[in-house]
Amino acid sequence: MKIKKNVAISDSGFIFNPDTGESFSANPIGMEMLEMLRDGMDYEEIRKNILDKYKSEKDTVEKDYNDFITMLKQYNLIENDGQKDD
Amino acid sequence: MTDKKTIKIAVTALNAIDSPGPGVSVIRGLREAESFDVQIIGLSYESLEPGIYMHDLVDKTYQIPYPSSGTSALFERLRYIHEKEKLDMIIPNFDAELFSFMKLAPELDKLGIKTFLPTVKQYEEREKFNLPAFGEKYGFNVPESKAIHNIADLYSIGSTFDYPLVVKGKFYDAGIAYNIDQAKSYFNKISAKWGLPIIIQEFVHGTEFNVTGLGDGEGNTISAVPIRKQYITDKGKAWGGISISDKEMLDLTDQFISSTKWRGGFELELMKNKEGKFFILEINPRIPAWVYLAVGAGQNIPEALVKLAMGMNPKPFSDYAVGKMFIRYSWDMIVDLEEFQQISTYGEL
């Protein structure tokens, strides 16, 4: 799962897709997830990082992760050839 | 100091109603040209076109007759203006006037006035009612379209089109009709303003994109800037937009220019459906009102158009800034009655 290379993500959480001209805002935890995805982390690594840092349950993280990825796909921010979820 | 050549260019479409003309944007591009200086002569149809009164952009304005007056009346007026101003070039920017200027282009050229317009064949092939044939000939996806001349024809088109469908005027205006009553209402409104035929077009669901560009008439792309309209008025006009980097749209534009050998400025109105397939909804045979975004993104299309017309061989643009936006606003100018009186009475200001 990879964020498209040309998608611009600012420190403030502003996301711009230059292919479509669409822009979005991510909240702080969304930003962290995006950065981890950008760094090439898979789901296991992302879940571990989140659980280490925040008081949450494995199931909750999994659900939020899947919701987030669905949204990124829906908004066309994920590389087409990397659709296989780890 | 610069010793750049000064080119005297007449520009039409100085209006700025809710469906604004491209003239003022074109002039802003020309004023920012790096390769020449300009003197701008405005050509107006009505006394309340704002560009007439923008003296920092337009040096002098002359009224010209409406296209319905015929090409000889237009030519006589242009000859008078040329005697006074010694024009180098004319850039017409209204769909409805283009045909007259295309017809007059050889005569204007004899007077020493350059134009850089599509050919009559190019102009006619892309007309809204010819769009299906155009798509078939050049291999583009286009929505199904049909020209109708009678309101009763709306009852028989049910076999070809499902609702919603788009009711379009020959030159301008369109409405999405969800039933026969709405279609009839649009038919009456639009035909009263722009005449017949009315074009019935299949409604393509998706996201609208636009490209403005410039072809050199030999199949080469001089400029192409794709955008997404971000703020659209109820007339479908963009009051905000952003430049984007969609390669498929650029390829499609290259294909359009190379296959038609398009000559001059243009705007492609595109719809991308859910499957990611692009449809050409319209091809406007002139520079669009939002062209100043292309200038701001690094492709000065009006400047390159003038260079093509004047034989200055512009280099094709290879790049533009992605993520540049335009946000349109309206601005109330205060104008003395004397100026309004001058243009209204004498047709010159």
Side-chain angles (χ1 to χ4, degrees), chain B residues 227-245:
Chain B
I227 69 153
R228 176 198 175 97
K229 292 178 178 177
Q230 292 176 298
Y231 193 102
I232 302 177
T233 67
D234 54 4
K235 282 224 166 199
K237 301 297 160 190
W239 279 66
I242 188 164
S243 59
I244 60 172
S245 69

Side-chain angles (χ1 to χ4, degrees), chain B residues 27-41:
Chain B
I27 294 167
R28 289 183 75 195
L30 295 175
R31 291 273 178 208
E32 291 178 22
E34 287 178 358
S35 42
F36 51 78
D37 290 325
V38 287
Q39 275 191 302
I40 299 294
I41 303 302

Side-chain angles (χ1 to χ4, degrees), chain A residues 17-71:
Chain A
N17 183 352
D19 290 341
T20 64
E22 288 173 307
S23 54
F24 311 92
S25 290
N27 64 14
I29 190 76
M31 269 301 289
E32 283 190 50
M33 300 255 275
L34 284 168
E35 277 163 15
M36 287 187 273
L37 287 166
R38 268 243 151 126
D39 290 342
M41 290 185 195
D42 63 16
Y43 167 63
E44 295 301 330
E45 289 170 291
I46 291 173
R47 187 187 64 190
K48 183 177 180 308
N49 279 350
I50 301 271
L51 287 173
D52 285 350
K53 197 168 173 187
Y54 302 100
K55 206 173 164 185
S56 186
E57 299 299 321
K58 187 183 161 189
D59 289 350
T60 310
V61 174
E62 185 171 347
K63 182 185 171 299
D64 289 350
Y65 172 85
N66 285 331
D67 286 350
F68 191 61
I69 295 297
T70 303
M71 205 182 293

Side-chain angles (χ1 to χ4, degrees), chain B residues 3 10 32 76-77 86 93 98-99 109 122 152 156 166 173 208 214 226 228 251 284 293 304 340:
Chain B
D3 56 353
E32 291 178 22
E76 283 314 309
R77 182 63 174 159
K86 301 281 175 280
N93 293 298
L98 271 184
F99 197 79
D109 193 53
Q122 289 169 344
S156 59
V166 188
D173 275 354
E208 192 182 328
L214 181 63
R228 176 198 175 97
D251 290 345
N284 294 317
L293 172 58
F340 178 69

